[in-house]
Amino acid sequence: KAGVTQTPRYLIKTRGQQVTLSCSPISGHRSVSWYQQTPGQGLQFLFEYFSETQRNKGNFPGRFSGRQFSNSRSEMNVSTLELGDSALYLCASSPEAGYNEKLFFGSGTQLSVL
Amino acid sequence: DAKTTQPPSMDCAEGRAANLPCNHSTISGNEYVYWYRQIHSQGPQYIIHGLKNNETNEMASLIITEDRKSSTLILPHATLRDTAVYYCIVRMLNTGTASKLTFGTGTRLQVTL
């Protein structure tokens, strides 16, 4: 089985631009979540989608948004980029929504905002 | 979710057992203990999880104290490839939402020759 695939692997943008990141979960997985990782803040939860519905949201501004498609693939969008948005964005998938499910992470998209 | 406390760093000689401690004194009865690790420039990787009993899989063993206020992850024969940041996470029971994990700062394990 292929793992979680995130594209692109690296991205360079300038302030004020917007960006869309893509995540393809493991085949059969219906839950997709997104995390932001920075050296200063560590790994922080952004949001989670299950069956095309946002189930949970972290404490991030409205510039961060996401969606999930019927095939469980997910995208996240960041508008009006700021320097502080430079980070590794990680996507994780799991089969179902439940408290004891382990997560499978992709390798992430490294976003640099100049 | 309960908060966890881990030492910031540890060293281990290759071939020896690596014992990584975690304190989670405010854990509640329906919370599981999970361990993940993150090798440089990769996404976190699930290692093991447990509720009350000790658990073992092909990667590691998890020892949870009887009062569940602390746990230890054991890598029985550490190799250089086990050099990573190890995260101990306590996960709240929340039916219907899978994945709002709260990662702390973790323990940076350095395995040396």
Side-chain angles (χ1 to χ4, degrees), chain A residues 29-67:
Chain A
H29 285 195
R30 295 165 62 195
S31 174
V32 173
S33 53
W34 289 88
Y35 290 80
Q36 181 196 64
Q37 187 172 34
T38 59
Q41 299 294 322
L43 204 65
Q44 293 186 290
F45 172 78
L46 279 158
F47 28 65
E48 178 203 2
Y49 288 87
F50 180 77
S51 293
E52 302 178 65
T53 302
Q54 188 180 90
R55 291 296 188 98
N56 217 336
K57 191 176 191 307
N59 192 23
F60 278 82
R63 300 185 297 106
F64 291 81
S65 63
R67 59 178 176 169

Side-chain angles (χ1 to χ4, degrees), chain A residues 44-109:
Chain A
Q44 293 186 290
F45 172 78
L46 279 158
F47 28 65
E48 178 203 2
Y49 288 87
F50 180 77
S51 293
E52 302 178 65
T53 302
Q54 188 180 90
R55 291 296 188 98
N56 217 336
K57 191 176 191 307
N59 192 23
F60 278 82
R63 300 185 297 106
F64 291 81
S65 63
R67 59 178 176 169
Q68 186 181 34
F69 302 95
S70 58
N71 61 358
S72 295
R73 191 177 72 84
S74 177
E75 289 181 348
M76 69 162 281
N77 184 278
V78 187
S79 62
T80 319
L81 283 166
E82 300 177 0
L83 295 179
D85 297 333
S86 294
L88 179 66
Y89 290 88
L90 291 159
C91 165
S93 75
S94 67
E96 297 288 342
Y99 68 88
N100 60 348
E101 293 293 344
K102 59 187 181 184
L103 297 182
F104 297 83
F105 283 84
S107 295
T109 293

Side-chain angles (χ1 to χ4, degrees), chain A residues 14-29:
Chain A
T14 56
R15 280 182 300 174
Q17 287 187 310
Q18 76 164 17
V19 66
T20 299
L21 312 181
S22 178
C23 172
S24 293
I26 291 172
S27 177
H29 285 195

Side-chain angles (χ1 to χ4, degrees), chain B residues 5-74:
Chain B
T5 305
Q6 298 176 252
S9 63
M10 293 182 64
D11 292 330
C12 179
E14 189 176 35
R16 305 297 294 269
N19 298 289
L20 292 92
C22 179
N23 284 317
H24 32 79
S25 58
T26 60
I27 192 171
S28 61
N30 57 7
E31 289 179 309
Y32 281 65
V33 179
Y34 284 76
W35 283 83
Y36 283 78
R37 73 180 182 183
Q38 187 172 21
I39 297 170
H40 184 61
S41 298
Q42 298 182 22
Q45 176 191 25
Y46 166 85
I47 301 173
I48 199 167
H49 74 281
L51 182 63
K52 292 181 183 178
N53 300 321
N54 299 336
E55 302 287 343
T56 295
N57 63 20
E58 65 280 2
M59 289 183 69
S61 295
L62 173 61
I63 308 297
I64 303 174
T65 58
E66 193 170 340
D67 63 8
R68 302 207 327 122
K69 293 186 177 181
S70 66
S71 61
T72 302
L73 177 74
I74 301 172

